[in-house]
Every structure is written in structure tokens, then in C-alpha cells.
């Protein structure tokens, strides 16, 4: 299980340390990095990426506008990336720009995937969604 909240900084080459606990939970050293929702990046172990991308393609049609949009924004920018010997991944400038990653990042392990946020963007997101978070907790908590 991938879990935890971590803070790491991008280095001058756009590389980010993948926390050791997350690396331990991922089989192998290859991951897939793509655009997430809410201006963050999503990082998937290869097996999970294959399952998610196959489900998306199988559940949609090239002839549906929304399906093409999802495929263009989620599947097309996906990149297979190697975790280097130092435990870092190199994030392309296109993905860094999309997520607004500058220096300080938040890395969130969410069971089957990982989110990478710009720290300030994530703090703003938490503040903006605090009331929704409480409502969702009450609704799900029954």
C-alpha cells in the first residue's frame, strides 16, 4: 500500500526525490507520471497504470468528445520514468508547468497512486476545500 504525506524540493534539474517508503511500495524502478486533476501530477506503478489506462480506453469511444478530452489530458501526457539510484525522478518541464511545480513539493501516497503538488497550491487547495471535506466526511461517515 502506498501511503503518507511527504515534503521534498525539486532540484535545479527538475528532479524530485521519491520518498523511500513509496519506493518500497512500488515494484521495480519504472513508474508512469501524468497530469492529474486539480493541478497536480499523478504517479502510478506500472501495473496500476496499465489497469487504469486500459479501463479508461475500454470504457470510452473515440467518437465521444468527452472521451477524447480525457484521453488527451490524461493518457497523452503520460511518461514512463525511471527512479534513479538516488531515488529521484526527472519531471519534464511540461508536467512541471502544468502542476506549477517550482521548488517545494508535497508528495501524497494514496493507496494505489501518488500525487505530486506544488506546496503552496496544495495548501490553498486544503483551505478552499475545508468545508467540502467536512461535508464529505459526515456523508461517508453516516
Amino acid at each position: 500500500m502506498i501511503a503518507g504525506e511527504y515534503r521534498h524540493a525539486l532540484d535545479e534539474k527538475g528532479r524530485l526525490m521519491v520518498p523511500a517508503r513509496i519506493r518500497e511500495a512500488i515494484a521495480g524502478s519504472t513508474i508512469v507520471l501524468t497530469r492529474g486533476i486539480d493541478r497536480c501530477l499523478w504517479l502510478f506503478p506500472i501495473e496500476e497504470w496499465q489497469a487504469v489506462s486500459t479501463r479508461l480506453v475500454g470504457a470510452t469511444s473515440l467518437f465521444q468528445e468527452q472521451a477524447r478530452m480525457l484521453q488527451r489530458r490524461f493518457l497523452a501526457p503520460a511518461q514512463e520514468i525511471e527512479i534513479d539510484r538516488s531515488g529521484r525522478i526527472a519531471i519534464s518541464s511540461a508536467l512541471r508547468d502544468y502542476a506549477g511545480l517550482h521548488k517545494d513539493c508535497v508528495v501524497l501516497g494514496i493507496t494505489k497512486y501518488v500525487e505530486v503538488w506544488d506546496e503552496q497550491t496544495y495548501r490553498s487547495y486544503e483551505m478552499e476545500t475545508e468545508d467540502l471535506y467536512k461535508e464529505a466526511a459526515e456523508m461517508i461517515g453516516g
Side-chain angles (χ1 to χ4, degrees), residues 8-73:
H8 287 281
L10 285 174
D11 69 13
E12 65 282 347
K13 295 181 180 178
R15 296 176 299 195
L16 181 69
M17 178 65 68
V18 177
R21 289 193 178 203
I22 290 177
R23 290 194 315 267
E24 291 167 5
I26 295 172
S29 63
T30 304
I31 53 96
V32 175
L33 188 64
T34 193
R35 292 178 182 176
I37 298 175
D38 300 318
R39 289 285 184 209
C40 67
L41 300 180
W42 286 348
L43 183 156
F44 292 91
I46 289 289
E47 307 80 29
E48 186 62 25
W49 173 254
Q50 290 169 342
V52 168
S53 60
T54 298
R55 272 195 316 267
L56 176 61
V57 170
T60 59
S61 166
L62 295 172
F63 302 103
Q64 296 172 324
E65 183 177 359
Q66 290 182 338
R68 291 190 309 272
M69 178 185 59
L70 281 172
Q71 291 173 7
R72 288 176 186 137
R73 291 192 177 198

